[in-house]
Amino acid sequence: MDHGKTQDEHCSDEYAGLCRKLLQKLARKHSTPLVSGQPNSWACRIVRTIVWVNFLDDKTQTPHMKSC
């Protein structure tokens, strides 16, 4: 994955929406983990979680993407 590309170049609206929903869910927690760590690290973790639960790193599936 080229890290210089924008979300729109890698992510469908559906997957972008799933990432936003996960971010919102984490932000609503009473003791949100989002206050610690770097924003870029959290963005990577959120995207990686969505990739993992949707089997997007499985080459036998369409669509798929190469894992970092």
Side-chain angles (χ1 to χ4, degrees):
M1 179 182 267
D2 180 356
H3 297 288
K5 293 190 176 185
T6 65
Q7 163 200 313
D8 294 337
E9 294 175 275
H10 286 295
C11 201
S12 72
D13 289 339
E14 178 182 8
Y15 292 118
L18 291 171
C19 289
R20 279 190 291 277
K21 281 180 76 172
L22 181 53
L23 175 62
Q24 291 166 350
K25 186 131 181 124
L26 287 168
R28 283 194 305 265
K29 292 178 75 71
H30 177 66
S31 58
T32 180
L34 298 173
V35 295
S36 64
Q38 297 294 315
N40 285 343
S41 295
W42 275 107
C44 289
R45 290 175 187 151
I46 289 169
V47 170
R48 180 68 189 114
T49 299
I50 297 301
V51 166
W52 180 71
V53 299
N54 288 283
F55 303 101
L56 294 176
D57 55 353
D58 182 351
K59 291 187 280 191
T60 65
Q61 302 292 321
T62 301
H64 75 273
M65 61 187 291
K66 185 177 178 182
S67 284
C68 299

